[in-house]
Amino acid sequence: MANQGEEEYAKFLEKVRRTVYVDELTPHASEAVVKSAFDQFGTVTDLRFLPNYFGPKELPVSVLVEMENEDMAKAVIGTLTQFPFMVAGMPRPVRAAAATPEMFHDRPKKPGSKIQCRWIDPSDPEFDKAKKMKRLVQKHSAETSFMLKKQLEEAEKLDKQQSETATTHYKKFELIDKLYHDGAAKNLASHYNMKSFSFH
Amino acid sequence: MLQSSDADGEESPDFKWGEMKGLGQKDKNVKFYESFTFDGIEYRLFDCAYFCVRGQCETSIGKLVKMFETSTGEKKVKVIWFFRPIDIRSFLGKYEPLWDELFLACGDDLGVSNINDVEAILGKCNVVCQSRHPKNRYPSKDERRMANYLFTCTFDTRLKIISKDFADAIAGIGVEKLFNKKREEQPLKRLNSTAAGSSRPSPVKPFHPDSGSTKLGKKINRDRTSPTRLTLTFILQDLFLKDSASREHLKKNPPVNTDVTSGCPRTKSRASGDLLAPGSSVNPTPSKKRKLRLSMTEPADSYGLVHQPEEKRFIKNPPLVVKAPSQNIPFEDELKEAIEKDRLLLFENLEPSYTSLDVEDLCWQAFNERVDARMIPASLLSSPHNGKALVIFGTTRAADKALSRLTEGYLMLSDERPLVASRNAPKEVGECKRFTGHFTLVDKAQMSIQKASYCNSHVKRLSLPQRSQKSYITCDLTQSLFF
């Protein structure tokens, strides 16, 4: 029985080693797109998106990409840390890291681990300690979600700013381009007796 | 009286006999008991319970009328069955059963009562009798409200009639025992079956069909209401009523016990078309009501079901049976339903290495509840010190109870971290509108070309001088945003 558990766990660990964790992925990326993106590095045997239960849906998604063997997984991580890699035509590079067992919701039990718990009632000397810790955990999670929200807001702000700049620039260039095309620039140059230069 | 259970305490730690009632008259080795505790639930004589047989999706409900241990140490209960309206749909006639109505089996035929293994019990069921019979204590409104099911009528398995009259004894048990318990016994029963505020956790809840708690429960609800009506219309077409009657009855009574020549009653009745009544009340004749699938349109199907009785072993650990269906449906769907029903809790501050099974284990240890848990997969964004899990309880009440227990006291886990629970439910799965880091320029049509060219060649972009100036610039712009 124990052996069986160990065997299963070893098998699972092997699977973990073959798996790459990828995040900063657009939520619009479909399974097929991600698969074809990572098939360039080797054979993708399995793909699973990590659920985003609590964050806003605008958060980048993470995906676990299981490769056929460990070397392929290493190749993926190596390449992706050196070069920006875009998936689904999204000009935002994804990030890759080695997967850890905690990323699998269906991970098997670690052999030998045992669950222990005990109730602490108000009479218990450790009651206050537990209370404090609980508060701390709650505070942390509140902070986390707040920070996440802020971060998203900031990203959005930056994005908005950049897109505005880009749009203005684009419009300017378009205007100049138009002037050259319909000959207005040339006419003006000759009118003011200036030397006309070609933009192209 | 506990010592008697100690003998085989090792083999089923979940089981404990209560007070002994006496020894068997014929066989002195048979010990009768007043009550027993199985899987944390105390069952007393004349309590009702859900039963399960492998291979059947619907539970059966029966009244425990005898509890005894045989000379070989097998723990058995004698059960008088209740029929669901769907079980006897062909015989309802004009009778329109209530949605939660059951029919007490009576008569001297097979299928009224039989002897079952204790392991077949799934959980307790609260059934009240609403008969105006003088011996019956009419249930109060509260009791009625708390009950899972009620019954006012009997169904004679031989004559196939529904009747409001109760025979003096059914299967050798005085009818007054089958009615509602007398007042003074009531608190005992309540404590186990319905009480909410009691300190004793009541793991019966997951099996309550009324609250639609488990998938199983839901199914029962659904099945019960509609098909009955269907049958009533069907009954007219049921020309071979008499014939099918006995056949359906047989199907309800596939032998389940191991200690009996299985299949015997079935074949017999198939051949003769009628059942003999071999003193079923005393014989350990195994029979089991079974849910008739909606096979009424094609009676041939009923033969297809016949092979099932051969699976006669009950599942050792019944609660798993209840959980089983939930493993078949995707977790996401289950989650959605649990959120609607408020059955979901979020556990935080778990050791990150806990597995989903560990959490389920933990809930069993701490709250005595069977739950469906799933660790939220860690990611690089989540805290590496704080494991979180979504835990789906069987009922809203169970979730409430666990939450209030966790607010009153603290559950310290193995490495001195207290469990934190909350009602935080995942947000409604919505569509993501846009993803920051990607924007479109005014001219969409043009942009799409540029984007494509950019994405294809973001590395060797500069080596393509023939591209038009415009897109060249845009590429530069786009690039500047992301590097």
Side-chain angles (χ1 to χ4, degrees):
Chain A
M1 189 71 190
N3 279 340
Q4 196 190 341
E6 264 165 45
E7 209 171 274
E8 195 189 342
Y9 197 71
K11 216 169 155 188
F12 168 71
L13 281 184
E14 197 264 315
K15 180 178 153 184
V16 172
R17 280 196 295 273
R18 279 188 287 122
T19 307
V20 185
Y21 166 86
V22 177
D23 70 356
E24 295 290 316
L25 198 67
T26 158
H28 296 296
S30 70
E31 206 163 298
V33 168
V34 179
K35 192 171 184 319
S36 64
F38 286 96
D39 261 339
Q40 301 172 47
F41 297 93
T43 323
V44 176
T45 50
D46 193 22
L47 201 69
R48 62 165 91 174
F49 287 91
L50 293 186
N52 170 15
Y53 287 124
F54 293 98
K57 293 290 161 274
E58 281 75 25
L59 276 184
V61 294
S62 335
V63 63
L64 290 174
V65 185
E66 189 187 327
M67 306 300 285
E68 204 174 29
N69 59 47
E70 229 179 298
D71 294 337
M72 287 180 188
K74 274 186 186 149
V76 173
I77 298 168
T79 319
L80 262 63
T81 36
Q82 277 176 25
F83 305 101
F85 184 69
M86 323 256 172
V87 178
M90 188 59 68
R92 178 164 162 172
V94 297
R95 167 169 77 154
T100 59
E102 282 78 37
M103 289 169 183
F104 294 80
H105 69 79
D106 52 355
R107 57 181 175 267
K109 239 180 181 151
K110 200 173 182 172
S113 75
K114 223 178 166 186
I115 292 299
Q116 279 176 334
C117 61
R118 67 195 162 93
W119 283 103
I120 292 195
D121 289 314
S123 54
D124 202 289
E126 286 184 30
F127 188 76
D128 281 341
K129 189 176 120 194
K131 199 164 154 185
K132 252 185 215 162
M133 272 174 71
K134 197 170 170 175
R135 285 244 174 91
L136 200 64
V137 172
Q138 279 162 342
K139 198 176 145 207
H140 281 172
S141 66
E143 280 169 357
T144 314
S145 65
F146 181 75
M147 286 309 283
L148 210 58
K149 212 176 111 196
K150 279 277 159 217
Q151 208 177 353
L152 268 185
E153 265 171 27
E154 210 151 291
E156 205 150 301
K157 222 168 107 194
L158 187 70
D159 173 65
K160 212 170 155 192
Q161 201 187 333
Q162 285 175 334
S163 77
E164 256 167 32
T165 330
T167 319
T168 349
H169 283 292
Y170 178 71
K171 273 185 182 154
K172 272 187 204 159
F173 279 115
E174 201 166 47
L175 188 72
I176 295 169
D177 206 40
K178 210 174 129 208
L179 289 176
Y180 271 99
H181 265 282
D182 63 8
K186 235 177 203 172
N187 288 345
L188 277 171
S190 64
H191 186 262
Y192 290 108
N193 225 355
M194 280 169 75
K195 200 184 169 219
S196 148
F197 52 89
S198 169
F199 191 69
H200 291 276
Chain B
M1 304 305 136
L2 297 177
Q3 62 267 39
S4 56
S5 68
D6 287 347
D8 36 33
E10 287 86 9
E11 78 176 346
S12 58
D14 287 349
F15 188 89
K16 205 189 265 175
W17 282 117
E19 209 169 312
M20 179 139 53
K21 205 178 161 195
L23 294 172
Q25 285 170 345
K26 277 183 241 158
D27 183 353
K28 293 281 184 237
N29 288 326
V30 180
K31 296 176 203 141
F32 287 89
Y33 293 90
E34 293 255 295
S35 67
F36 62 86
T37 312
F38 176 56
D39 235 2
I41 309 170
E42 189 188 15
Y43 298 90
R44 307 184 66 83
L45 273 182
F46 307 112
D47 276 351
C48 298
Y50 292 105
F51 287 80
C52 170
V53 188
R54 195 207 288 264
Q56 295 186 10
C57 44
E58 179 102 76
T59 55
S60 299
I61 300 166
K63 215 175 191 47
L64 311 174
V65 292
K66 270 177 197 164
M67 314 167 164
F68 58 90
E69 191 172 61
T70 60
S71 48
T72 51
E74 283 174 291
K75 303 170 201 55
K76 300 281 187 188
V77 283
K78 184 175 169 183
V79 183
I80 296 184
W81 294 113
F82 287 105
F83 291 105
R84 290 204 164 90
I86 184 139
D87 296 330
I88 53 168
R89 58 181 191 278
S90 302
F91 315 110
L92 286 172
K94 284 200 176 111
Y95 191 90
E96 281 205 33
L98 297 171
W99 69 275
D100 57 351
E101 185 159 359
L102 296 176
F103 299 90
L104 184 67
C106 79
D108 49 4
D109 210 345
L110 273 175
V112 172
S113 72
N114 70 348
I115 289 164
N116 269 294
D117 288 336
V118 162
E119 279 89 332
I121 295 175
L122 278 182
K124 200 175 267 195
C125 176
N126 192 356
V127 183
V128 296
C129 176
Q130 270 199 317
S131 170
R132 294 285 184 187
H133 196 281
K135 284 179 186 165
N136 184 35
R137 185 178 57 75
Y138 198 76
S140 69
K141 258 195 188 143
D142 267 358
E143 279 175 89
R144 174 70 191 88
R145 202 162 40 82
M146 302 287 240
N148 300 118
Y149 295 99
L150 64 89
F151 71 100
T152 42
C153 298
T154 56
F155 179 74
D156 191 305
T157 50
R158 193 175 20 189
L159 303 171
K160 323 278 185 230
I161 47 164
I162 293 168
S163 157
K164 288 204 186 237
D165 295 328
F166 284 80
D168 284 341
I170 294 172
I173 306 293
V175 75
E176 65 279 356
K177 301 254 172 75
L178 303 176
F179 287 139
N180 296 332
K181 291 186 183 180
K182 292 277 178 291
R183 274 276 176 234
E184 50 278 14
E185 290 176 40
Q186 204 58 30
L188 276 171
K189 187 184 170 193
R190 280 287 196 77
L191 182 75
N192 298 323
S193 53
T194 51
S198 73
S199 58
R200 170 198 281 272
S202 126
V204 205
K205 293 286 131 47
F207 312 114
H208 273 201
D210 281 359
S211 36
S213 50
T214 55
K215 299 296 150 207
L216 193 63
K218 271 215 79 90
K219 226 182 119 40
I220 298 168
N221 265 349
R222 249 183 276 124
D223 280 358
R224 204 168 345 133
T225 40
S226 51
T228 335
R229 212 146 287 239
L230 245 169
T231 11
L232 287 174
T233 54
F234 184 75
I235 211 164
L236 296 169
Q237 306 157 15
D238 198 8
L239 295 171
F240 48 93
L241 179 112
K242 185 66 197 155
D243 179 41
S244 73
S246 46
R247 200 172 54 225
E248 286 193 5
H249 182 61
L250 291 170
K251 274 187 289 156
K252 277 178 227 150
N253 303 308
V256 243
N257 257 354
T258 34
D259 50 352
V260 174
T261 52
S262 80
C264 160
R266 182 184 70 244
T267 36
K268 199 199 289 173
S269 54
R270 272 258 229 105
S272 63
D274 205 353
L275 284 168
L276 301 169
S280 60
S281 54
V282 212
N283 265 353
T285 311
S287 77
K288 198 77 180 74
K289 289 196 306 163
R290 91 169 318 276
K291 183 201 158 208
L292 306 175
R293 310 228 179 98
L294 291 170
S295 59
M296 34 188 158
T297 38
E298 35 172 357
D301 187 18
S302 56
Y303 293 105
L305 298 172
V306 158
H307 68 277
Q308 282 187 345
E310 265 69 335
E311 295 180 46
K312 46 208 164 182
R313 260 281 137 217
F314 290 126
I315 294 159
K316 259 284 182 227
N317 200 356
L320 286 179
V321 183
V322 180
K323 270 205 60 184
S326 67
Q327 278 157 2
N328 295 337
I329 62 159
F331 183 78
E332 306 298 321
D333 292 357
E334 205 189 341
L335 192 65
K336 221 177 257 174
E337 206 191 301
I339 294 170
E340 274 168 30
K341 297 236 164 65
D342 246 1
R343 292 191 279 122
L344 181 88
L345 290 186
L346 170 72
F347 281 10
E348 287 174 90
N349 204 25
L350 297 162
E351 165 72 40
S353 66
Y354 273 12
T355 65
S356 305
L357 280 176
D358 284 337
V359 179
E360 281 171 18
D361 245 21
L362 179 78
C363 289
W364 177 243
Q365 276 185 34
F367 311 113
N368 222 12
E369 294 282 356
R370 298 268 176 205
V371 298
D372 212 357
R374 174 170 290 204
M375 286 300 285
I376 297 179
S379 68
L380 292 188
L381 294 173
S382 65
S383 158
H385 309 293
N386 183 355
K388 293 182 184 182
L390 293 170
V391 182
I392 298 177
F393 280 81
T395 54
T396 316
R397 189 183 280 171
D400 282 339
K401 231 157 82 185
L403 191 61
S404 66
R405 182 85 179 85
L406 279 168
T407 340
E408 283 164 24
Y410 296 98
L411 187 66
M412 203 57 117
L413 303 181
S414 47
D415 53 344
E416 296 298 291
R417 48 166 87 215
L419 181 73
V420 178
S422 64
R423 264 260 147 80
N424 270 345
K427 298 205 185 74
E428 194 48 52
V429 181
E431 264 299 296
C432 160
K433 277 178 233 89
R434 61 190 302 280
F435 183 56
T436 25
H438 179 66
F439 64 86
T440 43
L441 285 177
V442 237
D443 193 342
K444 282 218 169 131
Q446 214 161 15
M447 185 55 204
S448 63
I449 304 164
Q450 289 159 6
K451 203 169 62 181
S453 63
Y454 165 70
C455 293
N456 290 337
S457 61
H458 66 279
V459 182
K460 46 184 181 175
R461 177 174 18 85
L462 293 167
S463 63
L464 296 170
Q466 73 270 27
R467 182 163 299 121
S468 78
Q469 188 65 35
K470 196 160 54 174
S471 76
Y472 189 82
I473 290 159
T474 334
C475 284
D476 264 345
L477 276 173
T478 335
Q479 200 215 7
S480 67
L481 296 174
F482 304 108
F483 295 105

